[in-house]
Amino acid sequence: MSIIHCEKMSAEQLTANIVTNDEMTTVVKIDEIEIILRSHLLELLESSSLETQESFDVICKFLDSAIKLCLTDGDEQYFSKIPFLLIEDALDCLDGIRCKKLWLYISQVYKTQELKLEHPKVFARSKLIILRFCNKFLQKLSSKCSREDAEFSGAILSFLTSVFPLSERSALNVTGKYNVDNLAIFESEEEFSELKSLEEEAHSKGIGQEIYSGSVGDNTTDIDASLYGDLELPAHHPDRLPTDYQFYRTFWGIQRFFRKPNLVLTAETSLNEFISSLKIILDAFEGNSVDHASSSSCVDENGGSLYLTSSRLLRMQLQDNDIRIHILTQCIISIEYFLSKDLPKDGTNLIQNVRDRSKKLLMDTPPDGKE
């Protein structure tokens, strides 16, 4: 079958005899229409190379006609899942680049409300299929590591949040599990001392424009040492200068409480350690203005963000707005979780204090600030 012939066949034309057949029950009509439309879509996908915009437009036109056929007034409750099944079928046959084009098409149709997802019966019948094909989109991007793919993943997740209500069970962490695999690996005291010695030796020789490398695992980034500058630290806090291992370990060691928040609840000493560590970090943030040009995070192989924990980057990271936003957000989320549990009265007052400081710092951090 040629593309030209396929293009002339709309969903209405393919199913006209079935839709007007009064002898068929609704259940039989649904099955017949689904088989015909899905079979025709596969013919379209097989007959076209999909390398040109013209051939891709043929697919979109057919999906348009299927949406109009299946989501007309009065029929939503019966045929609503079929357009989403077609989208899922198309996704199974497309590569990553064309999946992005298909997603742009879906976003456009959703914005015009042609998918009618605000209709309770449409949503009820199609929500599992939507979850399924959105997960397939994300899986096709999981082997990528570019910022563009990370942003595309974010667009898919934003779509899901706009379609599904907050009460949707699939969006809730019902079992209360934590992402314990999200490790922040940082240097040992020996490694820290060795790197510090090398840096001091370089400065003593007048080398100030070297390119240093900060890394986590296989992720590396080149940072110009001249960007460090001098930290803006208050005179009454001389120990805050983050060149010692104690501060470095505190700054990154607090990630273990974010990774396993129940550690804070198991013993009073753990709660005190968390609060004291967070106070030190907040002091350091409050003593350093934000550098808008800094960026000390990278994208991992799953499209998410990893922290670069090299000690050579620490001074710059205290002035990095991205790092600050991420860590403060982690703090606030964790603190709200702790406050929902039974804490000692003294511990509750202390943790509320650091929460308020964290929120104020977050509101003062560009680019969005209070927004």
Side-chain angles (χ1 to χ4, degrees):
M1 184 181 293
S2 67
I3 293 180
I4 296 177
H5 178 66
C6 287
E7 186 176 5
K8 292 179 180 179
M9 300 293 289
S10 66
E12 291 89 342
Q13 293 170 322
L14 289 167
T15 60
N17 293 334
I18 297 175
V19 172
T20 57
N21 190 337
D22 295 332
E23 297 180 1
M24 288 185 176
T25 63
T26 302
V27 174
V28 173
K29 283 185 179 182
I30 292 173
D31 292 340
E32 290 292 328
I33 290 175
E34 180 182 331
I35 292 170
I36 291 174
L37 295 184
R38 296 180 76 175
S39 299
H40 187 70
L41 176 63
L42 290 177
E43 289 179 5
L44 283 175
L45 292 167
E46 289 176 357
S47 62
S48 59
S49 63
L50 297 177
E51 294 179 356
T52 63
Q53 185 61 39
E54 180 184 1
S55 60
F56 189 80
D57 288 342
V58 172
I59 306 295
C60 293
K61 286 181 180 179
F62 178 70
L63 291 175
D64 277 335
S65 64
I67 290 171
K68 291 177 182 177
L69 171 70
C70 298
L71 296 178
T72 54
D73 292 337
D75 292 332
E76 301 97 336
Q77 55 187 344
Y78 303 117
F79 306 108
S80 58
K81 71 174 185 178
I82 295 178
F84 301 101
L85 288 171
L86 295 174
I87 292 172
E88 186 179 21
D89 289 343
L91 176 61
D92 288 335
C93 300
L94 298 175
D95 58 20
I97 296 176
R98 287 164 186 81
C99 280
K100 291 182 181 181
K101 290 185 178 180
L102 180 63
W103 181 261
L104 293 175
Y105 162 78
I106 295 171
S107 301
Q108 183 179 1
V109 174
Y110 172 67
K111 288 178 181 178
T112 59
Q113 296 186 344
E114 291 180 29
L115 292 178
K116 295 189 176 182
L117 288 175
E118 71 282 356
H119 194 292
K121 291 183 178 179
V122 173
F123 178 74
R125 288 177 176 267
S126 56
K127 66 178 184 178
L128 293 180
I129 305 171
I130 295 172
L131 271 178
R132 203 163 59 221
F133 73 64
C134 282
N135 282 329
K136 288 183 178 180
F137 270 113
L138 294 171
Q139 288 169 4
K140 283 181 179 284
L141 298 171
S142 63
S143 60
K144 306 293 182 180
C145 59
S146 67
R147 182 174 293 274
E148 180 184 352
D149 288 315
E151 292 176 353
F152 190 72
S153 298
I156 295 172
L157 295 175
S158 296
F159 169 79
L160 286 173
T161 57
S162 64
V163 170
F164 287 83
L166 291 175
S167 58
E168 172 61 31
R169 183 179 175 84
S170 62
L172 302 176
N173 186 8
V174 180
T175 58
K177 292 183 177 179
Y178 309 111
N179 183 15
V180 296
D181 296 327
N182 186 24
L183 294 172
I185 303 172
F186 52 91
E187 300 160 9
S188 65
E189 189 167 3
E190 293 75 15
E191 292 170 328
F192 180 90
S193 299
E194 183 180 351
L195 286 172
K196 185 179 179 181
S197 299
L198 291 173
E199 185 175 294
E200 289 174 349
E201 182 181 350
H203 281 291
S204 67
K205 294 179 180 179
I207 304 173
Q209 299 295 329
E210 295 176 356
I211 300 297
Y212 294 133
S213 177
S215 64
V216 173
D218 296 329
N219 298 290
T220 61
T221 185
D222 290 333
I223 305 296
D224 190 336
S226 64
L227 294 177
Y228 281 1
D230 293 326
L231 291 176
E232 301 173 14
L233 296 167
H236 60 282
H237 273 295
D239 324 339
R240 200 186 308 175
L241 188 63
T243 55
D244 60 283
Y245 185 73
Q246 183 64 34
F247 177 83
Y248 170 76
R249 186 177 63 181
T250 300
F251 189 81
W252 292 118
I254 199 172
Q255 291 295 320
R256 67 189 177 96
F257 294 117
F258 300 148
R259 186 167 62 93
K260 294 182 178 180
N262 280 338
L263 289 175
V264 175
L265 305 174
T266 54
E268 187 176 348
T269 54
S270 298
L271 177 61
N272 293 335
E273 182 184 351
F274 172 77
I275 293 174
S276 60
S277 297
L278 185 52
K279 282 182 177 179
I280 292 171
I281 294 171
L282 295 177
D283 284 343
F285 280 150
E286 289 170 349
N288 289 274
S289 61
V290 176
D291 182 358
H292 298 264
S294 298
S295 182
S296 304
S297 60
C298 67
V299 180
D300 70 6
E301 61 181 6
N302 295 318
S305 291
L306 288 175
Y307 290 125
L308 297 175
T309 58
S310 171
S311 58
R312 291 183 170 185
L313 298 176
L314 185 56
R315 295 185 179 185
M316 187 179 68
Q317 285 171 328
L318 288 176
Q319 298 174 321
D320 185 300
N321 62 327
D322 285 338
I323 290 286
R324 185 171 298 198
I325 289 170
H326 285 307
I327 291 180
L328 290 174
T329 302
Q330 286 181 295
C331 291
I332 294 169
I333 292 174
S334 297
I335 289 172
E336 293 294 347
Y337 171 74
F338 300 147
L339 290 173
S340 68
K341 305 297 180 180
D342 293 329
L343 295 175
K345 186 175 181 181
D346 294 342
T348 300
N349 294 335
L350 289 172
I351 210 166
Q352 285 176 339
N353 178 263
V354 291
R355 178 196 60 183
D356 294 341
R357 288 179 63 188
S358 300
K359 287 184 176 181
K360 184 179 185 305
L361 271 169
L362 187 59
M363 288 191 291
D364 293 339
T365 303
D368 297 324
K370 293 183 180 180
E371 297 178 6

